[in-house]
């Protein structure tokens, strides 16, 4: 059972100042919260956890290795190339 002292203690820990009517309101709210926790204690613990509402399945295609693009074709439209590689701007001076 929640009493006024418990409400005032929680308010003090939370650094909240409460008026008398607020103490009564929070007392009722705390009792409702404790009631909900008591309902949770009654739940059967052997229920398998649900991470997703619907079952998940992989919609991607199989990863099959294929031959890559030939170097000459890859470099065909490159503005800057050197010794068979793409040449980028100098980063470090």
């Amino acid at each position: 059972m929640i009493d006024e002292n418990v409400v005032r203690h929680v308010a003090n820990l939370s650094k909240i100042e409460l008026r008398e009517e607020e103490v009564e309101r929070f007392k009722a709210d705390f009792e409702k919260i404790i009631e909900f926790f008591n309902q949770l204690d009654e739940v059967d613990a052997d229920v398998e956890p649900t991470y997703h509402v619907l079952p998940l399945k992989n919609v991607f295609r199989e990863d099959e290795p294929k031959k890559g693009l030939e170097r000459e074709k890859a470099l065909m439209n490159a503005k800057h190339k050197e010794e068979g590689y793409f040449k980028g701007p100098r980063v470090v001076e």
Side-chain angles (χ1 to χ4, degrees):
M1 182 85 185
I2 304 295
D3 61 355
E4 291 180 10
N5 292 333
V6 172
V7 174
R8 291 183 195 283
H9 179 69
V10 171
N12 184 36
L13 292 174
S14 305
K15 308 286 191 243
I16 298 173
E17 293 181 25
L18 296 178
R19 295 185 303 266
E20 279 303 314
E21 61 271 6
E22 291 176 321
V23 170
E24 289 301 318
R25 192 179 83 218
F26 279 111
K27 179 180 169 187
D29 289 344
F30 286 165
E31 286 176 356
K32 287 180 187 175
I33 292 169
I34 296 297
E35 232 177 89
F36 286 128
F37 275 105
N38 289 337
Q39 287 178 6
L40 288 175
D41 287 340
E42 295 172 8
V43 173
D44 186 17
D46 294 336
V47 177
E48 184 177 334
T50 305
Y51 299 106
H52 297 279
V53 177
L54 301 173
L56 296 179
K57 67 175 185 172
N58 190 353
V59 295
F60 299 113
R61 64 171 169 75
E62 289 294 321
D63 189 16
E64 299 171 1
K66 296 181 181 177
K67 185 171 178 169
L69 193 60
E70 294 177 11
R71 184 180 296 202
E72 292 78 25
K73 279 193 169 186
L75 293 171
M76 186 171 50
N77 293 324
K79 253 186 183 178
H80 305 286
K81 52 188 166 189
E82 185 176 299
E83 298 179 15
Y85 296 98
F86 291 102
K87 183 177 180 186
R90 185 178 186 117
V91 178
V92 180
E93 293 183 29

